[in-house]
Structure formats: C-alpha cells, structure tokens
Amino acid sequence: MKKVINYKVALISVLFFYAMMINLGCNSIDESSAEETNKPETSKFNLSVAAIEEGAAIYIDGVYTGKTTPANFLVSKGEHVIGVGLNTAKTYLRREVQVSSTTEQLVISLDEADLQQPKTWKVLFVGVNQVTTANGICISSYSTEQLDLAYEFLKWSFEEKVEPYSYNTTNWEFYRSDITTDIVQLSNDHLINPEIFESKIIDIQKGDYDLIVSFFRGAQQDCFIADFIGIAWYDVTALSSESSYFTIRYYDDLEGAIITSKQNDPGMFIHEWLHTVAERFYPNRGYTMPTFKGQVVHAAERYGYSAPWMSWYEDIIAGKVKDGSSYVGIGPEAFLECTVREQAIGQCL
C-alpha cells in the first residue's frame, strides 16, 4: 500500500513538472510576440521648410523655432501647423501638414497661396477735454486739437509698429468718442478707472471693441494733478464690455512729448496694451509668455533687453523672446486664433 502511494506521488510530480514547462513555454512565446507587436515606431520625421523669401522666421505649431527659411526639422507624427513670417512684406504664411508613419522626408515650400488674412482689432479712443481731482480743487483740460494729436499718435503706434510686429496678422480699426461736455472727476489716485469710465460712457456692448483707451491731461500750469502715468487693467472683465482698457494721464506739453516719444521710445500705447493681452488674455488661452516675478511687460531686463524698449515689445508680439532653448510670446498664430472682442462674444476658433 505504501509503494502505491509513492508511485502516485511520483506520477503527480511528473505531470505537474510537464505542465509547468508547457506553461512557461507558452508564456515565453507570448512575451516575444508582444514585444514584436509593440515595437515602437520612429518617433521623429524629417521636415524641410522653405518659402518665397529666404531668411524668413519659421514657426511650428505656433512657436518660433529660432530658424529661418530654408531649414530642416525633426517633427513627431501627426498634424502640424507650419508658419513663416516674411521679413520684407511683414506678412504671415501658414499651412497645415500631416506627418504619417510612412513619411521619410516631407518638403514644403510656402508661397502666396498660404498668405493669411489679418484679424480685425477695434480700438476706441476717448479723449477727455476736462478732468478734476477727487476733491474738485482745480480743472485740467486739453483742447480738441490737442486730443487730435494724441489720437493720431495712437493710430500711428498700432499701424506703424504693432501691425508689422505681428506680421500683419492684426489690422487695427480706430474709433473715437470724446467726452467734451462733462468734467470728469478722477478717482482718489487721479485716474479714470473702469467704474468712472462706465459712468460716463454706458452704451458699449460686448463685441464692440478689443481695446478702449481714455486720455486726459494730468497737469497744466494752474492745475497740477499728477505726473504722467499709464495704467492698464489686466483683467478684460474690468469693463462690462470685456474689452481691454487702460487710461493715460499725459504731459502738460503734449505736442513736444509726442515728438520726443516718436524719436526715442514710442511705446506708450503699446506698453499698456501689452499689459492687457500678454499678462492675462493670451496666457489664459494657453500661450507662454516671458515672465519674471509674475510680470511680463516689466520683465525685459531679465531677458537681456534694455531701453529703448521697442525691440522688447516687438519680440513679445512676434513670440520671439528667447527663454532657454525655446521662444515665448504671443506670435501670429495667437492673433489669428482670437481677438479680445471675439472671446467676449464666444467667437474664438
């Protein structure tokens, strides 16, 4: 009886051993097959970019590459947006391409057929003839002719600087509605803040304007209110119209100040506008900006820029601020995607 039991144990052990070997063999075959099936494809593919102009800035997926046409790149499989900013014409060419796993060398050359039409940006200039301090001690005033100079300076700033900086992906339209009859009482910090502005002009709706600028005289010989300052409200919801807004408290010698600004550093209006779009608007839409201690427009020196600041403004607008191994800023794709007033009425791409 004891021998029979031993035979049975031996038989069971042999059968168990063969079962384990078969199972291990199967597992070995499955793992080999899985490795073959999941073998990774080539992760990068060759892309060659040229355009009708050599030396033009190349953007891939909205980010400046630091290279100019013609140039070669390694890109991942999938859809990509290739953009080229022409230096001479200051226009932007754009094409969407598909890179597949069978791509060996994708060669594209952008031409006039890829030219992008600009987005329209609307700005309202509100010149204020007369302002007074919060306690109403004195009145400071600009004539309509003086406000004309400021309005022309605003137009010049965006037409001659911002539009080409954006490779003409922006087209600015200008409107004007002066406050001529009322004396506007300033806030305690001597500004026309959003609340004061909306108490004077109340018929502006969402989608009417991308930018609203109020402009007044900060000082004159018999009524010194405060020195020059420009203040922007970063949050576009500061106005019920959800337009960017800033106010400019300008100099006593308006004409002389404008002439000096144009000759040296004509960025007054541009600087304040960038506060509204580069500090909040486009970062909230996923675009990376140059920053230092939470600031964008005032971060120039951190990135190696110095006065005059126009090259700094240009690179923020064009998305060409070098940040480590990459480039940051707004860029043409952001401008084509959405304007402030389009977002206000839900019409962004």
mmCIF file of all heavy atoms in Angstrom, residues 312-343:
data_model
loop_
_atom_site.group_PDB
_atom_site.id
_atom_site.type_symbol
_atom_site.label_atom_id
_atom_site.label_comp_id
_atom_site.label_asym_id
_atom_site.label_seq_id
_atom_site.Cartn_x
_atom_site.Cartn_y
_atom_site.Cartn_z
ATOM 1 N N TRP A 312 11.908 94.941 -27.391
ATOM 2 C CA TRP A 312 11.255 94.074 -26.410
ATOM 3 C C TRP A 312 9.779 93.895 -26.755
ATOM 4 O O TRP A 312 9.263 92.783 -26.795
ATOM 5 C CB TRP A 312 11.428 94.687 -25.030
ATOM 6 C CG TRP A 312 10.618 94.110 -23.908
ATOM 7 C CD1 TRP A 312 9.689 94.772 -23.155
ATOM 8 C CD2 TRP A 312 10.671 92.783 -23.378
ATOM 9 N NE1 TRP A 312 9.167 93.952 -22.182
ATOM 10 C CE2 TRP A 312 9.751 92.705 -22.305
ATOM 11 C CE3 TRP A 312 11.400 91.639 -23.703
ATOM 12 C CZ2 TRP A 312 9.543 91.555 -21.560
ATOM 13 C CZ3 TRP A 312 11.190 90.484 -22.960
ATOM 14 C CH2 TRP A 312 10.278 90.437 -21.912
ATOM 15 N N TYR A 313 9.091 95.003 -27.051
ATOM 16 C CA TYR A 313 7.678 94.913 -27.433
ATOM 17 C C TYR A 313 7.513 94.099 -28.713
ATOM 18 O O TYR A 313 6.591 93.284 -28.837
ATOM 19 C CB TYR A 313 7.081 96.308 -27.626
ATOM 20 C CG TYR A 313 7.211 97.229 -26.433
ATOM 21 C CD1 TYR A 313 7.394 98.598 -26.596
ATOM 22 C CD2 TYR A 313 7.174 96.727 -25.129
ATOM 23 C CE1 TYR A 313 7.519 99.435 -25.505
ATOM 24 C CE2 TYR A 313 7.305 97.561 -24.040
ATOM 25 C CZ TYR A 313 7.482 98.928 -24.225
ATOM 26 O OH TYR A 313 7.606 99.750 -23.141
ATOM 27 N N GLU A 314 8.425 94.325 -29.658
ATOM 28 C CA GLU A 314 8.341 93.594 -30.931
ATOM 29 C C GLU A 314 8.461 92.087 -30.711
ATOM 30 O O GLU A 314 7.684 91.303 -31.270
ATOM 31 C CB GLU A 314 9.433 94.070 -31.882
ATOM 32 C CG GLU A 314 9.435 93.338 -33.210
ATOM 33 C CD GLU A 314 10.464 93.864 -34.187
ATOM 34 O OE1 GLU A 314 11.285 94.736 -33.799
ATOM 35 O OE2 GLU A 314 10.455 93.417 -35.354
ATOM 36 N N ASP A 315 9.410 91.677 -29.888
ATOM 37 C CA ASP A 315 9.619 90.242 -29.692
ATOM 38 C C ASP A 315 8.489 89.600 -28.885
ATOM 39 O O ASP A 315 8.170 88.419 -29.099
ATOM 40 C CB ASP A 315 10.969 89.998 -29.023
ATOM 41 C CG ASP A 315 12.134 90.159 -29.996
ATOM 42 O OD1 ASP A 315 11.873 90.321 -31.201
ATOM 43 O OD2 ASP A 315 13.296 90.136 -29.553
ATOM 44 N N ILE A 316 7.887 90.345 -27.958
ATOM 45 C CA ILE A 316 6.713 89.800 -27.263
ATOM 46 C C ILE A 316 5.585 89.583 -28.266
ATOM 47 O O ILE A 316 4.948 88.527 -28.297
ATOM 48 C CB ILE A 316 6.230 90.743 -26.143
ATOM 49 C CG1 ILE A 316 7.252 90.838 -25.020
ATOM 50 C CG2 ILE A 316 4.897 90.247 -25.574
ATOM 51 C CD1 ILE A 316 6.868 91.807 -23.919
ATOM 52 N N ILE A 317 5.344 90.571 -29.110
ATOM 53 C CA ILE A 317 4.260 90.484 -30.085
ATOM 54 C C ILE A 317 4.520 89.363 -31.093
ATOM 55 O O ILE A 317 3.615 88.604 -31.446
ATOM 56 C CB ILE A 317 4.080 91.841 -30.800
ATOM 57 C CG1 ILE A 317 3.538 92.885 -29.805
ATOM 58 C CG2 ILE A 317 3.143 91.720 -31.999
ATOM 59 C CD1 ILE A 317 3.575 94.313 -30.318
ATOM 60 N N ALA A 318 5.755 89.248 -31.553
ATOM 61 C CA ALA A 318 6.099 88.229 -32.555
ATOM 62 C C ALA A 318 6.357 86.852 -31.953
ATOM 63 O O ALA A 318 6.541 85.882 -32.691
ATOM 64 C CB ALA A 318 7.329 88.673 -33.342
ATOM 65 N N GLY A 319 6.349 86.744 -30.624
ATOM 66 C CA GLY A 319 6.638 85.460 -29.997
ATOM 67 C C GLY A 319 8.087 85.052 -30.119
ATOM 68 O O GLY A 319 8.400 83.858 -30.202
ATOM 69 N N LYS A 320 9.001 86.031 -30.096
ATOM 70 C CA LYS A 320 10.411 85.755 -30.352
ATOM 71 C C LYS A 320 11.323 86.019 -29.160
ATOM 72 O O LYS A 320 12.532 86.220 -29.327
ATOM 73 C CB LYS A 320 10.894 86.596 -31.543
ATOM 74 C CG LYS A 320 10.361 86.157 -32.883
ATOM 75 C CD LYS A 320 10.977 87.005 -33.976
ATOM 76 C CE LYS A 320 10.612 86.498 -35.356
ATOM 77 N NZ LYS A 320 11.251 87.315 -36.420
ATOM 78 N N VAL A 321 10.778 86.015 -27.960
ATOM 79 C CA VAL A 321 11.618 86.216 -26.780
ATOM 80 C C VAL A 321 12.281 84.877 -26.439
ATOM 81 O O VAL A 321 11.596 83.894 -26.157
ATOM 82 C CB VAL A 321 10.800 86.721 -25.582
ATOM 83 C CG1 VAL A 321 11.701 86.883 -24.358
ATOM 84 C CG2 VAL A 321 10.117 88.043 -25.919
ATOM 85 N N LYS A 322 13.592 84.840 -26.465
ATOM 86 C CA LYS A 322 14.312 83.591 -26.182
ATOM 87 C C LYS A 322 14.253 83.290 -24.694
ATOM 88 O O LYS A 322 14.614 84.117 -23.861
ATOM 89 C CB LYS A 322 15.757 83.677 -26.660
ATOM 90 C CG LYS A 322 16.487 82.336 -26.565
ATOM 91 C CD LYS A 322 17.811 82.386 -27.292
ATOM 92 C CE LYS A 322 18.565 81.070 -27.174
ATOM 93 N NZ LYS A 322 17.781 79.916 -27.639
ATOM 94 N N ASP A 323 13.797 82.094 -24.380
ATOM 95 C CA ASP A 323 13.671 81.655 -22.992
ATOM 96 C C ASP A 323 14.278 80.259 -22.889
ATOM 97 O O ASP A 323 13.618 79.259 -23.159
ATOM 98 C CB ASP A 323 12.200 81.636 -22.571
ATOM 99 C CG ASP A 323 12.021 81.354 -21.091
ATOM 100 O OD1 ASP A 323 13.033 81.365 -20.364
ATOM 101 O OD2 ASP A 323 10.869 81.124 -20.658
ATOM 102 N N GLY A 324 15.547 80.202 -22.527
ATOM 103 C CA GLY A 324 16.247 78.917 -22.517
ATOM 104 C C GLY A 324 16.455 78.416 -23.923
ATOM 105 O O GLY A 324 16.996 79.116 -24.779
ATOM 106 N N SER A 325 15.978 77.211 -24.199
ATOM 107 C CA SER A 325 16.143 76.625 -25.526
ATOM 108 C C SER A 325 14.945 76.882 -26.433
ATOM 109 O O SER A 325 14.927 76.423 -27.575
ATOM 110 C CB SER A 325 16.365 75.107 -25.406
ATOM 111 O OG SER A 325 15.247 74.495 -24.789
ATOM 112 N N SER A 326 13.955 77.612 -25.933
ATOM 113 C CA SER A 326 12.746 77.855 -26.716
ATOM 114 C C SER A 326 12.477 79.354 -26.829
ATOM 115 O O SER A 326 13.267 80.175 -26.354
ATOM 116 C CB SER A 326 11.551 77.144 -26.060
ATOM 117 O OG SER A 326 10.400 77.260 -26.875
ATOM 118 N N TYR A 327 11.362 79.675 -27.465
ATOM 119 C CA TYR A 327 10.948 81.067 -27.634
ATOM 120 C C TYR A 327 9.516 81.220 -27.145
ATOM 121 O O TYR A 327 8.687 80.322 -27.323
ATOM 122 C CB TYR A 327 11.057 81.495 -29.103
ATOM 123 C CG TYR A 327 12.481 81.579 -29.598
ATOM 124 C CD1 TYR A 327 13.153 80.446 -30.019
ATOM 125 C CD2 TYR A 327 13.157 82.797 -29.604
ATOM 126 C CE1 TYR A 327 14.471 80.508 -30.457
ATOM 127 C CE2 TYR A 327 14.478 82.871 -30.049
ATOM 128 C CZ TYR A 327 15.127 81.732 -30.476
ATOM 129 O OH TYR A 327 16.436 81.797 -30.893
ATOM 130 N N VAL A 328 9.236 82.367 -26.530
ATOM 131 C CA VAL A 328 7.918 82.606 -25.955
ATOM 132 C C VAL A 328 7.413 83.981 -26.382
ATOM 133 O O VAL A 328 8.146 84.800 -26.920
ATOM 134 C CB VAL A 328 7.952 82.493 -24.419
ATOM 135 C CG1 VAL A 328 8.282 81.081 -23.986
ATOM 136 C CG2 VAL A 328 8.967 83.481 -23.824
ATOM 137 N N GLY A 329 6.145 84.231 -26.107
ATOM 138 C CA GLY A 329 5.495 85.467 -26.502
ATOM 139 C C GLY A 329 4.173 85.156 -27.177
ATOM 140 O O GLY A 329 3.697 84.022 -27.144
ATOM 141 N N ILE A 330 3.564 86.159 -27.802
ATOM 142 C CA ILE A 330 2.233 85.976 -28.381
ATOM 143 C C ILE A 330 2.324 85.216 -29.710
ATOM 144 O O ILE A 330 1.924 84.066 -29.815
ATOM 145 C CB ILE A 330 1.518 87.325 -28.555
ATOM 146 C CG1 ILE A 330 1.402 88.036 -27.202
ATOM 147 C CG2 ILE A 330 0.121 87.105 -29.154
ATOM 148 C CD1 ILE A 330 0.845 89.444 -27.273
ATOM 149 N N GLY A 331 2.836 85.852 -30.741
ATOM 150 C CA GLY A 331 3.029 85.191 -32.025
ATOM 151 C C GLY A 331 1.825 85.254 -32.948
ATOM 152 O O GLY A 331 0.686 85.443 -32.508
ATOM 153 N N PRO A 332 2.065 85.088 -34.255
ATOM 154 C CA PRO A 332 0.995 85.215 -35.263
ATOM 155 C C PRO A 332 -0.159 84.241 -35.075
ATOM 156 O O PRO A 332 -1.316 84.607 -35.310
ATOM 157 C CB PRO A 332 1.731 84.944 -36.588
ATOM 158 C CG PRO A 332 3.168 85.251 -36.309
ATOM 159 C CD PRO A 332 3.386 84.877 -34.883
ATOM 160 N N GLU A 333 0.114 83.012 -34.674
ATOM 161 C CA GLU A 333 -0.973 82.041 -34.520
ATOM 162 C C GLU A 333 -1.973 82.477 -33.460
ATOM 163 O O GLU A 333 -3.179 82.293 -33.613
ATOM 164 C CB GLU A 333 -0.410 80.660 -34.171
ATOM 165 C CG GLU A 333 0.307 79.965 -35.298
ATOM 166 C CD GLU A 333 -0.609 79.598 -36.464
ATOM 167 O OE1 GLU A 333 -1.788 79.288 -36.224
ATOM 168 O OE2 GLU A 333 -0.129 79.624 -37.604
ATOM 169 N N ALA A 334 -1.488 83.062 -32.384
ATOM 170 C CA ALA A 334 -2.379 83.531 -31.324
ATOM 171 C C ALA A 334 -3.280 84.647 -31.831
ATOM 172 O O ALA A 334 -4.491 84.675 -31.550
ATOM 173 C CB ALA A 334 -1.561 84.015 -30.127
ATOM 174 N N PHE A 335 -2.706 85.572 -32.600
ATOM 175 C CA PHE A 335 -3.507 86.675 -33.134
ATOM 176 C C PHE A 335 -4.571 86.177 -34.103
ATOM 177 O O PHE A 335 -5.688 86.696 -34.137
ATOM 178 C CB PHE A 335 -2.606 87.703 -33.815
ATOM 179 C CG PHE A 335 -1.770 88.519 -32.865
ATOM 180 C CD1 PHE A 335 -0.387 88.524 -32.961
ATOM 181 C CD2 PHE A 335 -2.361 89.272 -31.871
ATOM 182 C CE1 PHE A 335 0.384 89.262 -32.089
ATOM 183 C CE2 PHE A 335 -1.602 90.033 -30.993
ATOM 184 C CZ PHE A 335 -0.219 90.020 -31.100
ATOM 185 N N LEU A 336 -4.226 85.172 -34.902
ATOM 186 C CA LEU A 336 -5.193 84.629 -35.855
ATOM 187 C C LEU A 336 -6.283 83.808 -35.161
ATOM 188 O O LEU A 336 -7.392 83.691 -35.673
ATOM 189 C CB LEU A 336 -4.479 83.759 -36.889
ATOM 190 C CG LEU A 336 -3.570 84.483 -37.880
ATOM 191 C CD1 LEU A 336 -2.803 83.482 -38.722
ATOM 192 C CD2 LEU A 336 -4.372 85.421 -38.776
ATOM 193 N N GLU A 337 -5.952 83.277 -34.017
ATOM 194 C CA GLU A 337 -6.904 82.422 -33.301
ATOM 195 C C GLU A 337 -8.031 83.212 -32.662
ATOM 196 O O GLU A 337 -9.195 82.803 -32.706
ATOM 197 C CB GLU A 337 -6.170 81.627 -32.230
ATOM 198 C CG GLU A 337 -7.063 80.735 -31.392
ATOM 199 C CD GLU A 337 -6.298 80.094 -30.262
ATOM 200 O OE1 GLU A 337 -5.567 79.121 -30.521
ATOM 201 O OE2 GLU A 337 -6.414 80.572 -29.116
ATOM 202 N N CYS A 338 -7.703 84.372 -32.059
ATOM 203 C CA CYS A 338 -8.731 85.038 -31.261
ATOM 204 C C CYS A 338 -8.367 86.480 -30.957
ATOM 205 O O CYS A 338 -7.206 86.798 -30.685
ATOM 206 C CB CYS A 338 -8.920 84.280 -29.945
ATOM 207 S SG CYS A 338 -10.319 84.846 -28.970
ATOM 208 N N THR A 339 -9.360 87.366 -30.994
ATOM 209 C CA THR A 339 -9.209 88.727 -30.504
ATOM 210 C C THR A 339 -9.998 88.854 -29.207
ATOM 211 O O THR A 339 -10.800 87.991 -28.851
ATOM 212 C CB THR A 339 -9.721 89.762 -31.518
ATOM 213 O OG1 THR A 339 -11.157 89.752 -31.510
ATOM 214 C CG2 THR A 339 -9.220 89.466 -32.924
ATOM 215 N N VAL A 340 -9.786 89.953 -28.513
ATOM 216 C CA VAL A 340 -10.455 90.165 -27.229
ATOM 217 C C VAL A 340 -11.971 90.215 -27.395
ATOM 218 O O VAL A 340 -12.720 89.590 -26.636
ATOM 219 C CB VAL A 340 -9.930 91.455 -26.566
ATOM 220 C CG1 VAL A 340 -10.741 91.790 -25.307
ATOM 221 C CG2 VAL A 340 -8.449 91.309 -26.214
ATOM 222 N N ARG A 341 -12.432 90.944 -28.391
ATOM 223 C CA ARG A 341 -13.888 91.059 -28.548
ATOM 224 C C ARG A 341 -14.506 89.756 -29.044
ATOM 225 O O ARG A 341 -15.657 89.445 -28.714
ATOM 226 C CB ARG A 341 -14.253 92.221 -29.478
ATOM 227 C CG ARG A 341 -13.741 92.118 -30.882
ATOM 228 C CD ARG A 341 -13.949 93.422 -31.662
ATOM 229 N NE ARG A 341 -13.310 93.327 -32.967
ATOM 230 C CZ ARG A 341 -13.884 92.782 -34.032
ATOM 231 N NH1 ARG A 341 -15.125 92.319 -33.966
ATOM 232 N NH2 ARG A 341 -13.242 92.731 -35.176
ATOM 233 N N GLU A 342 -13.754 88.965 -29.822
ATOM 234 C CA GLU A 342 -14.271 87.666 -30.242
ATOM 235 C C GLU A 342 -14.485 86.746 -29.040
ATOM 236 O O GLU A 342 -15.460 86.014 -28.958
ATOM 237 C CB GLU A 342 -13.314 87.018 -31.237
ATOM 238 C CG GLU A 342 -13.369 87.617 -32.626
ATOM 239 C CD GLU A 342 -12.386 86.983 -33.577
ATOM 240 O OE1 GLU A 342 -11.336 86.483 -33.123
ATOM 241 O OE2 GLU A 342 -12.650 86.973 -34.803
ATOM 242 N N GLN A 343 -13.542 86.797 -28.098
ATOM 243 C CA GLN A 343 -13.723 85.981 -26.904
ATOM 244 C C GLN A 343 -14.938 86.444 -26.108
ATOM 245 O O GLN A 343 -15.674 85.630 -25.552
ATOM 246 C CB GLN A 343 -12.479 86.028 -26.020
ATOM 247 C CG GLN A 343 -12.655 85.247 -24.723
ATOM 248 C CD GLN A 343 -11.362 85.060 -23.965
ATOM 249 O OE1 GLN A 343 -10.516 84.249 -24.343
ATOM 250 N NE2 GLN A 343 -11.205 85.784 -22.872
#
